Amino acid sequence: MTEDVLNWIKKEKLMTEGDTVIVGLSGGADSVALLLVLLELRQRIGYTLLAIHVEHGIRGEESRKDAAFVEELCRQKNIPCRICPVNVPDYAATEGIGVEEAARILRYECYQKAAEELKQSGAGRVSIALAHHANDNAETVLFQMARGSGVHGMCGMHPKRVLGDDILIVRPLLCVSRGQIEEYLKKCGQEYRTDGTNLDINYSRNRIRHHILPELSVINEQAVSHINQSALLLQQAVSYMEQETKKAVQTCCIGGGGAYVILENEWKQYPEIIRQEIVHEVLGKTAGSRKDLGMVHVQDVCALMEKQTGREITLPYQMTASRIYEGVRLCRRGTHKAGTGTWQEKGGCETEGAAGASQSFYEVTADDFAKLEAGETVSITLPDANVSLRLLLFSGKVDEIPKNQYTKWLNYDRIECGLQFRRRASGDYLTVDDAGHKKKLKSYFIDEKIPQIKREHIWLLAQQSHVLWVIGGRISAVCKIKEDTKKILEVRIDGGNYRED
């Protein structure tokens, strides 16, 4: 088994000479075997070993005995050991999550904290070695299939994952089975601790471990190996899909800061599987995490594309998806007037100019709107101009509206969300009259005889694909001041070529 693990480590480049390797040591069979194997290979590869035991505070005296066993084992093997006590039940109750998930989160926090401390003390690359093996991976694949996680979940565990700057999570035992591990420990004459909760079939993974996998192995004794092979093939396929999805997102998604729009026309140009991946990607961006976002949520958003404008669904992470004219808008509650507050250069959803070049944008944040409503002036610095925003009460006298080219009054009552300063993007339009008739921005540029070379450099004030103001040109009819307007958003732009005559 040791040679199998060595070949796996080399193949996947899990650790190299000079690394510090943190072993997550529970005291169970898997982690004890991992410690012994890595101890055997330490001189051959040239890394430093450190063991960390997380005492979960779940099983009382049994848990404390596990910690004592780990300390004694490490003393015998002359390996530095840290015991990290945590309170899983309290954390689970506070966060409203299951005990299993709480334990996992707190374990990873302990490992990462130790790795960061090592980095601060001058260590090179730090690899956090976890004892997951082929059976664990098969269980994960089946569990994710059962909960409907899609192809990403069915990829199972990856051999390594970047956790931070020169900090990796690695799984050296993914190449071996639980049977091989037990046989290895038997040959070594090494004892280990048994966690009674591993026998409790009220836990989903234990039910898979003790009931489902054994039945599959009756059907085919190589079931675990075959599931792992399938997961590896899926990892390769998903890696390719992710590359294609990232390209696609650039062409059919606009927004940022917790509010995005998937543009229907552009989105429908892609095959169904890429369309689903686009939605999954944008859901993750909006939520800030992909965890607990399954295929059911992806399919619900895809189905929304076929619904009438105005339909809305609720999603995890306090998200809503709304069918709008351009496609589907995703946002988290509380971000209807929120944004990034900073320039978006890469990452997130960038606007896409007609020439295909990614464009930066500034999205007015919730803090900005709060300042406006408190009577403050908000200043924004664009690359070639300065913008000031302020909120005014309207007197009802339409003749007071300024006629300046670079100062506009907009009907604040009609401004709802995602207000951005940006360049043009595919799907942009203006509302040209009170009846709601629309004109493509491209048509507006043609009608105004604006040269192609200038169109790429014109700033827009936009709300999703709806252009409220072509800066220096017309405003949308939706934002025009009416006699019943209550509040005015004054937008003034100055600097560079933006100066009043």
Side-chain angles (χ1 to χ4, degrees), residues 236-495:
Q236 296 169 356
V238 166
S239 178
Y240 173 75
M241 280 202 308
E242 285 175 344
Q243 295 174 29
E244 294 303 304
T245 299
K246 286 179 181 178
K247 296 176 187 175
V249 165
Q250 299 299 322
T251 67
C252 66
C253 172
I254 60 173
Y260 296 88
V261 174
I262 302 173
L263 302 169
E264 179 184 12
N265 291 338
E266 289 78 358
W267 179 76
K268 285 188 172 180
Q269 301 301 311
Y270 293 95
E272 182 176 357
I273 191 166
I274 297 298
R275 293 203 300 266
Q276 292 176 349
E277 288 302 299
I278 291 167
V279 170
H280 201 182
E281 175 80 7
V282 179
L283 279 171
K285 288 178 180 296
T286 307
S289 171
R290 281 194 178 192
K291 185 171 178 57
D292 296 326
L293 292 173
M295 278 304 297
V296 62
H297 306 117
V298 171
Q299 290 167 355
D300 285 347
V301 174
C302 291
L304 197 58
M305 282 288 190
E306 306 303 322
K307 305 293 184 182
Q308 292 180 337
T309 300
R311 294 291 295 272
E312 184 175 285
I313 58 174
T314 58
L315 296 162
Y317 296 96
Q318 295 187 315
M319 287 190 295
T320 59
S322 308
R323 182 65 165 99
I324 61 174
Y325 177 78
E326 300 84 4
V328 168
R329 182 174 186 274
L330 294 160
C331 70
R332 296 184 69 171
R333 292 190 197 115
T335 60
H336 59 286
K337 283 187 178 178
T340 60
T342 55
W343 278 99
Q344 302 298 301
E345 296 289 350
K346 295 193 177 186
C349 293
E350 300 167 343
T351 58
E352 185 76 12
S358 296
Q359 306 294 334
S360 303
F361 63 82
Y362 182 100
E363 187 162 12
V364 182
T365 68
D367 286 343
D368 291 334
F369 276 94
K371 290 177 182 178
L372 288 171
E373 292 176 1
E376 297 181 36
T377 298
V378 172
S379 298
I380 297 169
T381 302
L382 304 181
D384 56 355
N386 298 311
V387 176
S388 65
L389 307 174
R390 63 174 180 156
L391 209 55
L392 308 172
L393 294 177
F394 185 47
S395 66
K397 298 177 180 179
V398 177
D399 58 356
E400 291 180 354
I401 299 173
K403 303 297 191 295
N404 299 333
Q405 188 177 9
Y406 296 116
T407 300
K408 294 297 179 186
W409 282 8
L410 307 179
N411 190 340
Y412 183 77
D413 304 334
R414 303 298 300 275
I415 294 174
E416 298 176 355
C417 58
L419 201 60
Q420 293 182 347
F421 289 92
R422 61 170 173 81
R423 310 296 192 184
R424 67 177 178 142
S426 176
D428 281 348
Y429 69 91
L430 287 151
T431 302
V432 295
D433 56 33
D434 292 340
H437 294 113
K438 297 176 174 61
K439 175 182 284 192
K440 291 183 179 179
L441 182 64
K442 180 178 180 181
S443 299
Y444 168 78
F445 284 152
I446 292 171
D447 292 344
E448 294 297 312
K449 297 181 172 54
I450 297 173
Q452 179 74 31
I453 194 169
K454 288 188 177 181
R455 298 175 193 176
E456 308 302 324
H457 302 286
I458 293 175
W459 283 104
L460 308 172
L461 178 59
Q463 189 173 284
Q464 300 165 20
S465 292
H466 185 187
V467 177
L468 305 186
W469 180 23
V470 179
I471 294 179
R474 73 173 297 166
I475 66 171
S476 170
V478 169
C479 291
K480 285 186 175 180
I481 306 298
K482 307 290 185 182
E483 289 183 356
D484 61 349
T485 298
K486 304 298 183 185
K487 292 182 181 180
I488 296 166
L489 178 64
E490 182 189 80
V491 185
R492 184 190 301 271
I493 185 165
D494 185 59

